[in-house]
Amino acid sequence: MAVLLSTLATEIVIPVAAVIGIVFSLVQWFIVSRVKVTPERHAPPAGPNSKKNGFNDYLIEEEEGLNDQNVVAKCAEIQTAISEGATSFLFTEYQYVGVFMVVFAILIFLFLGSVEGFSTKSQPCTYDAQRTCKPALATAIFSTVAFVLGGVTSILSGFLGMKIATYANARTTLEARKGVGKAFIVAFRSGAVMGFLLAANGLLVLFITINVFKVYYGDDWEGLFESITGYGLGGSAMALFGRVGGGIYTKAADVGADLVGKVERNIPEDDPRNPAVIADNVGDNVGDIAGMGSDLFGSYAESSCAALVVASISSFGINHEFTSMLYPLLISSMGIIICLITTLFATDFFEIKAVKEIEPALKKQLIISTVLMTVGIAIISWIALPSSFTIYNFGVQKVVKNWQLFLCVAVGLWAGLIIGFVTEYYTSNAYSPVQDVADSCRTGAATNVIFGLALGYKSVIIPIFAIAVSIFVSFSFAAMYGIAVAALGMLSTIATGLAIDAYGPISDNAGGIAEMAGMSHRIRERTDALDAAGNTTAAIGKGFAIGSAALVSLALFGAFVSRAAISTVDVLTPKVFIGLIVGAMLPYWFSAMTMKSVGSAALKMVEEVRRQFNTIPGLMEGTAKPDYATCVKISTDASIKEMIPPGALVILTPLIVGTLFGVETLSGVLAGSLVSGVQVAISASNTGGAWDNAKKYIEAGASEHARTLGPKGSDPHKAAVIGDTIGDPLKDTSGPSLNILIKLMAVESLVFAPFFATHGGLLFKIF
């Protein structure tokens, strides 16, 4: 049966969906920008009956006599400081990353070019020797170009997200004066700007790249899609530095601010007297927004590339069926439209009136997008796929039906939702696991740590079963292609996922600004409620990122094994087994590096904060201003310096193993790092999230049980703060960075597979 969607229609649908996503994000940004952060807007009304925004009397009463102009000016000043700090950090980081990008691009060109000795002659195709394909030198050049494009798109995604978040935080604070619903909508719209920009940019750049490369490659789709894998590598390589550098930055500032401010000096979180407070707020943006944006963009790019590589050597590629070939991109296009409809449910169709409605509204976003997307996938599978086709499966072509491929994508999509909700159960203080952790603080920090670790380990069980089921179902139906599209299914609602995820740090910053601007207690309660919901949704986002990373990494692993012409990976051969055991060790080595980095950076921060409290007269009394800039500089310098060794570990491992030990040992390393990395990442993220929310549970004192543990400053609260401080590097540095470790090593191995297959295994050749 012929495909219903013509090639021309495909060429129109994909870019149109991407442009709709970009336009929608700009509309959201415009709406957010209408909240002014300049004092003039809030000047006293001209006439006795005039109202500003219809909120005049209400605002003055709400602020409890505080001069409105001063508050707005103060908010604007704090927002500028946070924005400048975040921008200067990212520019410093991107200078280093730029150097790495140039060096690595040259490496890609040299390694891949040397496969055929830089020959410009056409060669027989790998999977069809009767036909000739473009030379390896072309793959080298185009892979390098794709790598740079992926890297630049990833950097741009992170940077734009961070800019939008720092633009929206004070606006969220100011809207909180009109009610919690107004503040929620500003924070959520701002998150949506980032989500849609990232999803649409990633899709558009990938689509354009494929079409431009097609001009040169013509009918050689195998070479074309092999060179496209560089796009995924570029996206993930930049994400590694964004995640690790941003994670070290944010936690050095957070731990420093908490240990001296809350534990030693007994002042509230985000108190303007604390010198590390601006650095802490900057950190939320560079770690949780810029890092998360780059990370999920990397996952999206890689799962698309893995699917395209496998499809190019299946019937889609062999028969040159363009619409079916771009099935992964059509799923992403549908995802943008579905997420757009879903977003309207949060911002336009329903209004939040009370604090208790915030978290359900965010969770509904996940459910609505998943249900609608299931229908969307069914439509795409029906119009873009022939009723029967073949998929390449380790040397043979396997016959697959279009409904089977639909099930592969759907199982990934629903597995993502399950992982999200399990993560929420283990990290939200609305449920018993976190309340048990909070309760354990009665007997001190040690029991809190023990309970938190146990919770993290336990929280791995259901997500792993969800991933296992989706792997089994998708592989049974459509081999490695099935796993790649299952990963894409999980990431198909990326725009909504990112909107929810970015909402967290924006709300967190809004609370910090309210505290620093000296706003009334009522407003801080509202921003705290937004922040508490954001904490849980951030944990859900991390769950999604880790789950999708596991599937993406497995799909890339399959593409690598196909590309390196390995028929079977036999665990019982010593070559593979040593790789397996070393690969399983790598996530621990990497976590040790990142946690120690946070520790040493936090040490410098603690010393600086203590020095300022001890040497600046009037700082504790609030009559003198702290030196925020020095703390921002400490975080920036430490994170840039400390991100290089973990980055080098991830980047160099596949190159060294592939070159010295060959593709079989490397396949063992990839399998080992995937299996252990997923477990460590989930448990680290959830342990940290649970400790954080146990502390917030005690601070909020919303239930009778919580009030018996509080108030702030009590012994159980101090024990909870210590747990939270230990959990910070786990949940925001090591845990989230691990998913990049497992993806990046796999995509790098795939890109360099032709070189390793031809020249790798030097040690075994010598002996």
Side-chain angles (χ1 to χ4, degrees), residues 103-359:
V103 172
F104 205 69
I106 295 166
L107 266 186
I108 293 173
F109 175 72
L110 294 177
F111 271 59
L112 294 181
S114 68
V115 173
E116 299 283 331
F118 295 97
S119 156
T120 51
K121 290 204 301 286
S122 292
Q123 52 185 11
C125 297
T126 315
Y127 301 98
D128 183 1
Q130 311 303 306
R131 290 175 45 241
T132 53
C133 286
K134 300 292 186 208
L137 188 64
T139 307
I141 294 167
F142 283 99
S143 292
T144 308
V145 171
F147 168 76
V148 172
L149 280 172
V152 169
T153 313
S154 181
I155 285 174
L156 200 65
S157 302
F159 184 74
L160 287 174
M162 187 280 301
K163 269 296 185 204
I164 289 145
T166 52
Y167 182 81
N169 47 22
R171 288 171 166 78
T172 306
T173 312
L174 292 171
E175 285 292 277
R177 297 174 310 173
K178 302 176 188 173
V180 76
K182 296 267 189 266
F184 168 81
I185 286 181
V186 169
F188 190 79
R189 280 193 199 280
S190 313
V193 177
M194 176 188 176
F196 282 92
L197 267 184
L198 186 139
N201 276 342
L203 178 65
L204 195 59
V205 175
L206 183 55
F207 177 76
I208 292 169
T209 307
I210 290 170
N211 276 297
V212 171
F213 284 14
K214 205 156 127 256
V215 174
Y216 169 79
Y217 275 101
D219 279 351
D220 176 16
W221 284 16
E222 184 192 308
L224 162 63
F225 290 105
E226 189 183 312
S227 59
I228 288 288
T229 53
Y231 184 71
L233 177 59
S236 235
M238 299 308 111
L240 173 72
F241 294 110
R243 256 300 192 208
V244 176
I248 294 168
Y249 185 109
T250 177
K251 289 305 114 182
D254 199 356
V255 171
D258 280 2
L259 282 180
V260 183
K262 287 204 295 207
V263 178
E264 291 179 14
R265 295 282 168 166
N266 217 3
I267 57 175
E269 191 164 1
D270 295 315
D271 191 296
R273 292 171 290 177
N274 193 329
V277 75
I278 294 282
D280 184 7
N281 282 300
V282 169
D284 289 336
N285 294 297
V286 296
D288 290 347
I289 301 251
M292 183 71 173
S294 295
D295 179 5
L296 280 176
F297 166 74
S299 281
Y300 162 73
E302 286 158 337
S303 53
S304 303
C305 291
L308 292 168
V309 166
V310 180
S312 69
I313 52 179
S314 302
S315 64
F316 301 155
I318 294 163
N319 303 334
H320 295 91
E321 296 166 2
F322 191 69
T323 300
S324 306
M325 190 69 217
L326 293 193
Y327 177 69
L329 273 67
L330 287 165
I331 289 176
S332 304
S333 308
M334 177 61 87
I336 290 174
I337 305 301
I338 295 291
C339 290
L340 192 153
I341 298 164
T342 310
T343 304
L344 298 176
F345 279 94
T347 55
D348 298 82
F349 298 162
F350 298 106
E351 193 183 345
I352 286 180
K353 293 187 175 64
V355 164
K356 63 175 186 294
E357 293 171 17
I358 300 170
E359 212 168 298

Side-chain angles (χ1 to χ4, degrees), residues 586-674:
L586 288 174
Y588 292 92
W589 188 1
F590 180 82
S591 298
M593 281 179 159
T594 49
M595 287 184 74
K596 193 159 182 290
S597 298
V598 171
S600 53
L603 199 66
K604 292 184 188 124
M605 185 65 78
V606 167
E607 284 166 357
E608 173 59 22
V609 175
R610 275 186 190 146
R611 182 194 68 77
Q612 291 198 27
F613 273 122
N614 294 332
T615 58
I616 300 177
L619 184 56
M620 262 314 271
E621 293 71 36
T623 53
K625 272 188 84 171
D627 177 7
Y628 297 127
T630 304
C631 290
V632 170
K633 188 175 182 337
I634 286 174
S635 256
T636 304
D637 295 348
S639 54
I640 298 290
K641 184 170 134 259
E642 300 281 357
M643 78 179 180
I644 294 166
L649 174 71
V650 179
I651 300 279
L652 295 177
T653 299
L655 293 177
I656 293 167
V657 174
T659 307
L660 296 181
F661 300 94
V663 285
E664 286 167 315
T665 308
L666 181 55
S667 65
V669 169
L670 296 180
S673 66
L674 163 62

